[in-house]
Amino acid sequence: MSTELVTKRLLLRPWRIDDAKEALAIYGDTGVSRWLSPAMDRVPDAGAMRLVLQQWIGEDNRLLWPAGRWAVELRDEKRLIGGAVLLPLPPRGEDMEMGWQLVPSAWGHGYASEAGLAIAKWALGEGLDEVLAVVRPANDRGEATIRRIGMEWVGETEKYYDTRLQVFRLRAADLPDLEHP
């Protein structure tokens, strides 16, 4: 099960079925979902979102540590604004990918960088040698967030998801400090 991560403004916590309405505002938005395909398609309605959350919650209990999925919540407002992951990359699962998705109204406030850095620090503190982030070449917003976190570009590949992707890496030595967020 995913452990809770706390930052200055955010709480990254396990997903709950009652998050479906707020989660649909994220994963049902075409501006978000266009970057998730082929790993995930746009979620069309609340019923489908509940099914996705049920699947994620079930998978979270079976993932090998430190992999996980988190709901991203604003601490002060207790409002769900996004989701974040640390998951094995296909096809062989030997590389760990971190990622995040926010509701568009939360874009531009630094929340994605804050969530990504929290996951990276935690994962590297749990013994991973490195974490990766992959992004489509046209996803300028995603790439900017990755660079703000301090990730280093390592190249392009079609290894993951059979899609041309930019690959970025972060190692413990690349972090300014390894204290937990």
Side-chain angles (χ1 to χ4, degrees), residues 47-118:
M49 190 73 246
R50 279 191 296 280
L51 290 174
V52 168
L53 290 176
Q54 287 173 344
Q55 179 182 346
W56 288 353
I57 292 166
E59 285 176 359
D60 203 41
N61 292 320
R62 294 185 301 274
L63 290 170
L64 295 178
W65 192 261
R69 295 180 183 273
W70 294 266
V72 178
E73 188 176 283
L74 290 175
R75 285 178 55 194
D76 292 344
E77 299 175 31
K78 303 224 183 303
R79 181 170 56 95
L80 182 75
I81 61 165
V85 300
L86 179 67
L87 296 172
L89 273 162
R92 293 185 295 278
E94 51 199 23
D95 298 322
M96 292 295 282
E97 172 191 20
M98 64 177 200
W100 46 86
Q101 303 81 39
L102 298 180
V103 66
S105 62
W107 294 355
H109 300 280
Y111 300 133
S113 300
E114 192 171 329
L117 191 56

Side-chain angles (χ1 to χ4, degrees), residues 26-60:
I26 304 156
Y27 298 100
D29 186 279
T30 55
V32 174
S33 64
R34 67 184 267 200
W35 303 113
L36 301 178
S37 177
M40 181 178 178
D41 293 324
R42 183 183 156 280
V43 179
D45 56 47
M49 190 73 246
R50 279 191 296 280
L51 290 174
V52 168
L53 290 176
Q54 287 173 344
Q55 179 182 346
W56 288 353
I57 292 166
E59 285 176 359
D60 203 41

Side-chain angles (χ1 to χ4, degrees), residues 4-25:
E4 286 190 352
L5 304 175
V6 180
T7 71
K8 182 178 178 183
R9 302 179 298 169
L10 304 174
L11 170 65
L12 282 69
R13 60 163 174 79
W15 284 101
R16 301 184 294 247
I17 297 298
D18 64 355
D19 290 327
K21 181 180 177 185
E22 292 85 2
L24 182 60

